[in-house]
Amino acid sequence: MAMNETSKQLLQEFKLYIEVERNFSKHTVVAYSSDILSFLIWLNERSVKDVTYSIIREYLLYIQQFNYSKTTTSRKIASLRTFYRFLYRERIIEMNPAVGVHSPKRGKTLPEFLTEKEIEQVLNNIKMESPAGYRNRTILELLYATGMRVSELSNLNFENLNLDENEIKVFGKGSKERIVLVSERAKKFLETYIKTVRYLIFKNEKNSPNDAVFINKTGYRLQPQSIRLAIKDVVERIDLPKHVSPHVFRHSFATKLLENGADLRIVQELLGHSSISNTQIYTHVSTERLKQSYNIAHPRAN
């Protein structure tokens, strides 16, 4: 299957629209662009202007053969809706054929998290004999102490740190700015890393405000994938029977706060959620743990 020149041009304009005007995250821009590319290739030489609701339904039936998860299917539908809203807004089409196309209902899945004991097990098994090992321990201490996304941590510069006040400024999805709080324990790791360890990873004379806090051995910013690999390495060594990613540290942070009585709105603000409904999932996690403890401890629970 091919793609006509008009479609190629519209794809580039759409990508620029969601990147600049809509201020979507880099990850979303890549995902949406890929989704629309697949759709345009499927259309072949047909024009996007001739697409009807029926053709979109036909495409959705076509992608069913790939057995995508409900999350992926929902995103592909969201991509199509955004694309055709863009075409309608730019008056490239007179009617929006994606109106009325709905995403499949997603079943509620509770986020995976680590208990306090499991967190300590992971942290204490990081080999800190090397500068990179100490850096990785600092990173995981920070992820658990602040609830930052791995991309937010990777993008930290020295100008974002206000350790005198135990604060860090981060830029979340859509470049939204927020302040996260740092525990004394994580702060000590971070200060030691900055004062002594970072120089051992890559020797430079002076750190400027816009330099990356976390770097690799070549002096470049440490990327999220490297952090994921560091976690994978330690989890495989201790044979922890859970899938552990940087995001699991974020889930664990939120769950622990709510278990200890933190206000839901405060947790929402610390996580940088635009909607409180995204934060409410952690109340379900806490309730599930409460039920489990009750069933184990109460003599007449069963």
Side-chain angles (χ1 to χ4, degrees):
M1 289 184 178
M3 183 169 61
N4 63 51
E5 289 303 317
T6 303
S7 292
K8 288 180 184 177
Q9 180 62 33
L10 289 174
L11 177 59
Q12 290 305 312
E13 291 175 12
F14 172 67
K15 185 177 179 182
L16 189 65
Y17 163 70
I18 60 176
E19 190 173 20
V20 178
E21 290 193 43
R22 295 294 301 276
N23 203 18
F24 284 4
S25 69
K26 289 179 182 177
H27 176 79
T28 305
V29 169
V30 170
Y32 275 37
S33 300
S34 175
D35 291 340
I36 299 306
L37 175 62
S38 299
F39 173 67
L40 294 176
I41 290 173
W42 176 82
L43 279 180
N44 202 0
E45 290 297 326
R46 286 183 289 186
S47 170
V48 293
K49 299 177 185 179
D50 298 330
V51 169
T52 62
Y53 175 82
S54 298
I55 290 174
I56 290 180
R57 297 300 302 174
E58 183 185 338
Y59 175 69
L60 296 179
L61 285 172
Y62 162 75
I63 66 174
Q64 279 184 11
Q65 65 182 299
F66 301 108
N67 295 318
Y68 292 123
S69 67
K70 284 185 178 180
T71 301
T72 301
T73 302
S74 295
R75 192 202 67 222
K76 287 182 176 293
I77 291 172
S79 302
L80 279 171
R81 290 209 305 251
T82 305
F83 179 61
Y84 272 98
R85 273 199 301 269
F86 161 72
L87 296 180
Y88 183 71
R89 173 182 177 268
E90 296 297 311
R91 299 184 179 179
I92 294 165
I93 56 174
E94 293 183 3
M95 292 187 66
N96 184 349
V99 171
V101 177
H102 299 293
S103 300
K105 286 186 178 179
R106 286 191 277 179
K108 251 181 199 173
T109 55
L110 297 181
E112 190 153 32
F113 65 94
L114 298 175
T115 64
E116 194 70 28
K117 184 178 178 182
E118 289 168 336
I119 288 283
E120 290 301 325
Q121 189 181 359
V122 172
L123 294 175
N124 293 332
N125 276 280
I126 296 173
K127 296 177 180 177
M128 291 201 295
E129 295 83 4
S130 68
Y134 193 94
R135 176 202 62 200
N136 294 344
R137 172 68 182 264
T138 303
I139 284 170
L140 296 196
E141 290 280 355
L142 269 179
L143 287 176
Y144 182 53
T146 65
M148 275 190 281
R149 299 177 179 92
V150 66
S151 58
E152 294 168 348
L153 184 138
S154 172
N155 288 326
L156 284 181
N157 295 331
F158 281 100
E159 63 185 357
N160 305 134
L161 307 180
N162 181 9
L163 296 184
D164 289 340
E165 299 295 332
N166 289 59
E167 295 177 355
I168 296 177
K169 184 192 297 181
V170 299
F171 296 89
K173 291 184 177 180
S175 297
K176 290 179 181 174
E177 180 185 315
R178 75 180 190 282
I179 299 295
V180 297
L181 306 178
V182 186
S183 66
E184 284 296 326
R185 169 169 150 165
K187 176 182 170 180
K188 286 176 183 175
F189 272 98
L190 183 55
E191 287 178 331
T192 302
Y193 163 77
I194 291 170
K195 289 173 183 174
T196 60
V197 178
R198 189 179 184 276
Y199 181 78
L200 298 174
I201 293 173
F202 182 79
K203 295 176 175 59
N204 60 334
E205 294 304 317
K206 190 177 179 182
N207 299 319
S208 66
N210 58 354
D211 279 349
V213 174
F214 293 104
I215 56 173
N216 58 27
K217 62 183 180 182
T218 59
Y220 288 103
R221 185 181 302 278
L222 193 69
Q223 296 301 308
Q225 185 58 23
S226 299
I227 300 170
R228 292 188 184 96
L229 288 173
I231 294 175
K232 183 181 178 185
D233 176 62
V234 66
V235 169
E236 285 180 349
R237 258 191 292 114
I238 63 178
D239 199 27
L240 193 68
K242 283 184 178 180
H243 171 71
V244 182
S245 67
H247 222 64
V248 168
F249 279 77
R250 181 170 159 87
H251 294 326
S252 305
F253 162 82
T255 303
K256 181 55 66 177
L257 283 180
L258 286 169
E259 281 183 346
N260 288 332
D263 182 85
L264 193 63
R265 290 283 180 187
I266 299 296
V267 178
Q268 177 194 359
E269 192 170 329
L270 290 171
L271 290 173
H273 284 162
S274 56
S275 169
I276 199 163
S277 61
N278 295 327
T279 317
Q280 282 173 330
I281 188 69
Y282 297 108
T283 63
H284 299 303
V285 174
S286 300
T287 304
E288 281 300 310
R289 289 192 70 185
L290 187 66
K291 287 178 182 175
Q292 289 170 12
S293 299
Y294 172 79
N295 288 334
I296 292 169
H298 199 285
R300 299 206 176 176
N302 299 307

